[in-house]
Amino acid sequence: MIRWIIFVAIIGIADYYAFQSLKTVTKSNWWYAIYWIFTIVVIGNFIFQFYGFNRSSGFSQSNALAVGFLIALVVPKLILITVMFTEDVFRVPQGIYSYFMQDDSASGNQIKHFPSRRRFISQIGLGLATIPFASILYGMYKGKYNFKVLKYTLHFEDLPKAFDGYRLTQISDIHSGSFDNINKVEYAIDLINEQQSDVILFTGDMVNNKAEEMAPYTDIFKKLNAKDGLYSILGNHDYGDYVRWDSGEEKKQNLENLKAIQKEIGFDLLLNENRFIEKEGERIALVGVENWGKGGFKKAGDLKKASSNINKEDFKILLSHDPSHWEEQVINDDYHYHLTLSGHTHGMQFGIEIPGWFKWSPVKWRYKYWAGIYKELGQYINVNRGFGYLAFPGRVGIWPEITVIELKKGQKEA
């Protein structure tokens, strides 16, 4: 109940300021009508979608669209609040001063104590508000399929010589239940294969909730191909923890169905297990843990078990869905995991990024390692921004990612 009261209060304040700015700029009743129709339809649809939300069915595409359009409605209005409230910081004191200091009794005329809103301030606010509005709509229409191939070269002095120049492709967070364009997904799979990496590694969250979400895309993902195979792990969404099942057996069967789908695609699913890739008498270890995340997320990952038959001196690549696992357990482990591959954060699907120069997203307040390559204690992690999307049906500034990492022996040249 409290959440709805807060929601109504925010919407009410936002609409008060937004409509004030609109009235300052135009006197057209048509624009007023368009404003209120759009507002009522978006908010009404959101309430309709979530008032009777059925957890047994899970989060649907119609739910996601309701969230997307609500964000497109509210965020621009929050920009307007900032601009208009800044103007009120000056208007209100002037009005109070006028009310107490100006005597209108002698003239018999009513003095207008509060200064009128300035048209150009409202125009600035509306102009600034159109930027996130247009960006959010673009992110919902095209940004969610704006796949980017990000390439990195990482150097390791103890990399086996036979693996000098070895290439791996990482994808993460497919979230197939959110897709609405099968052709765009097929394009992305072709893009992955074009990289011609030696191995393809998937770091969890194939679905939102149910294995059946992957059914329309299984044949497309079966086209994935790499010389040394495909390997995968589970993410927090793959366990089916976010829907209400009729029974524990149904939930268990869903997970088994998902495992079968991964096998059908060609993935070797690592459940706290490891595999060796051998080349010219040398080897590297692939270690895959089940999901482990702090902050209430499932902690099924067992690093010790996953590395049970690996030597300490082996070169190790760890697949772990949640980057908080790297921070909490992996970095300081005496086994020294040379490279960890994670996902999970999606980069919040929203942010500002200039590759190689600047990146920012609100998700950085939740995760220290949230997108791209990081290095601590001689160990690397790549946090993939995700292949798909979840909840908000789009991406703004943080695009879907296909990562290609080349391993090189020796130190990086200055």
Side-chain angles (χ1 to χ4, degrees):
M1 185 64 182
I2 294 177
R3 287 181 295 179
W4 284 107
I5 293 174
I6 295 173
F7 172 76
V8 170
I10 292 174
I11 294 296
I13 294 171
D15 275 318
Y16 170 78
Y17 275 105
F19 194 62
Q20 286 287 314
S21 66
L22 185 63
K23 288 200 302 180
T24 303
V25 170
T26 180
K27 304 302 180 185
S28 170
N29 289 328
W30 282 106
W31 279 111
Y32 299 163
I34 291 171
Y35 173 90
W36 285 115
I37 290 171
F38 181 71
T39 297
I40 291 169
V41 168
V42 169
I43 294 176
N45 182 55
F46 178 81
I47 294 172
F48 172 77
Q49 291 292 334
F50 287 94
Y51 184 75
F53 180 69
N54 184 357
R55 284 200 62 194
S56 297
S57 301
F59 197 83
S60 67
Q61 290 183 0
S62 60
N63 296 146
L65 285 172
V67 169
F69 282 113
L70 184 71
I71 292 172
L73 176 75
V74 172
V75 171
K77 290 181 179 181
L78 294 179
I79 301 294
L80 277 171
I81 286 177
T82 303
V83 175
M84 303 300 284
F85 182 78
T86 301
E87 183 183 28
D88 281 349
V89 169
F90 298 96
R91 285 180 71 241
V92 171
Q94 289 176 4
I96 294 173
Y97 177 84
S98 174
Y99 180 82
F100 287 104
M101 300 303 294
Q102 290 184 285
D103 185 7
D104 58 352
S105 58
S107 63
N109 296 321
Q110 185 71 30
I111 296 176
K112 185 177 181 180
H113 296 290
F114 280 92
S116 299
R117 291 196 179 277
R118 287 169 288 184
R119 181 183 174 89
F120 82 95
I121 295 293
S122 294
Q123 288 175 328
I124 290 173
L126 288 169
L128 291 174
T130 60
I131 297 174
F133 182 73
S135 298
I136 291 167
L137 292 183
Y138 173 84
M140 293 171 62
Y141 178 61
K142 281 195 170 183
K144 60 189 178 185
Y145 295 121
N146 186 22
F147 294 97
K148 300 296 182 183
V149 178
L150 302 185
K151 297 183 178 182
Y152 304 98
T153 300
L154 302 180
H155 293 76
F156 303 89
E157 291 189 22
D158 56 349
L159 178 71
K161 187 177 180 181
F163 290 88
D164 187 21
Y166 196 78
R167 286 163 55 90
L168 59 90
T169 289
Q170 179 199 3
I171 57 174
S172 191
D173 299 88
I174 293 171
H175 288 290
S176 55
S178 298
F179 291 145
D180 57 9
N181 190 321
I182 199 165
N183 292 327
K184 295 294 186 181
V185 177
E186 192 164 18
Y187 160 78
I189 296 302
D190 291 339
L191 191 59
I192 292 171
N193 285 333
E194 285 176 14
Q195 307 313 309
Q196 297 183 330
S197 290
D198 297 288
V199 66
I200 295 175
L201 306 172
F202 169 57
T203 48
D205 276 1
M206 180 166 280
V207 298
N208 294 346
N209 296 297
K210 297 182 177 181
E212 64 192 42
E213 298 166 9
M214 194 64 188
Y217 308 99
T218 299
D219 286 341
I220 295 175
F221 277 83
K222 284 165 68 173
K223 297 178 182 178
L224 287 172
N225 181 55
K227 177 173 61 70
D228 290 334
L230 287 61
Y231 298 87
S232 65
I233 57 171
L234 297 176
N236 55 297
H237 280 266
D238 294 325
Y239 296 91
D241 288 341
Y242 305 124
V243 292
R244 183 181 294 115
W245 301 93
D246 291 336
S247 68
E249 279 301 314
E250 185 182 11
K251 180 180 179 182
K252 182 179 178 181
Q253 185 58 52
N254 176 74
L255 181 57
E256 292 305 313
N257 293 343
L258 183 64
K259 292 177 183 178
I261 289 173
Q262 293 217 23
K263 184 177 181 180
E264 182 182 354
I265 290 171
F267 282 112
D268 184 354
L269 179 61
L270 304 180
L271 301 169
N272 292 324
E273 300 171 284
N274 61 74
R275 304 285 188 269
F276 289 105
I277 297 177
E278 298 186 359
K279 187 177 182 181
E280 299 175 13
E282 296 182 299
R283 69 182 190 178
I284 61 174
L286 296 180
V287 183
V289 296
E290 294 197 50
N291 190 80
W292 193 105
K294 67 179 183 180
F297 288 102
K298 181 182 288 289
K299 293 178 173 60
D302 188 333
L303 189 60
K304 295 301 181 185
K305 180 181 178 182
S307 304
S308 58
N309 64 324
I310 293 176
N311 297 326
K312 190 174 182 179
E313 62 272 14
D314 282 324
F315 187 92
K316 295 172 284 295
I317 298 175
L318 173 66
L319 280 63
S320 180
H321 178 70
D322 192 320
S324 66
H325 185 220
W326 192 67
E327 179 184 1
E328 295 292 319
Q329 292 192 346
V330 178
I331 295 176
N332 294 309
D333 192 280
D334 60 2
Y335 247 47
H336 188 88
Y337 293 86
H338 299 76
L339 172 62
T340 296
L341 302 176
S342 296
H344 182 64
T345 71
H346 300 204
M348 205 174 173
Q349 297 167 213
F350 172 83
I352 301 170
E353 187 165 12
I354 304 173
W357 290 89
F358 177 80
K359 64 181 179 183
W360 176 87
S361 169
V363 78
K364 68 176 295 182
W365 297 324
R366 173 66 174 83
Y367 290 95
K368 182 178 180 180
Y369 309 102
W370 61 273
I373 296 286
Y374 302 87
K375 185 178 182 181
E376 298 282 356
L377 301 177
Q379 301 164 90
Y380 289 96
I381 185 173
N382 180 62
V383 184
N384 184 286
R385 293 159 181 80
F387 184 91
Y389 51 94
L390 179 69
F392 170 60
R395 285 179 175 266
V396 179
I398 304 293
W399 312 119
E401 175 181 345
I402 298 164
T403 312
V404 178
I405 297 176
E406 183 178 12
L407 308 179
K408 294 294 291 182
K409 184 173 180 61
Q411 293 184 340
K412 181 178 180 180
E413 295 181 4

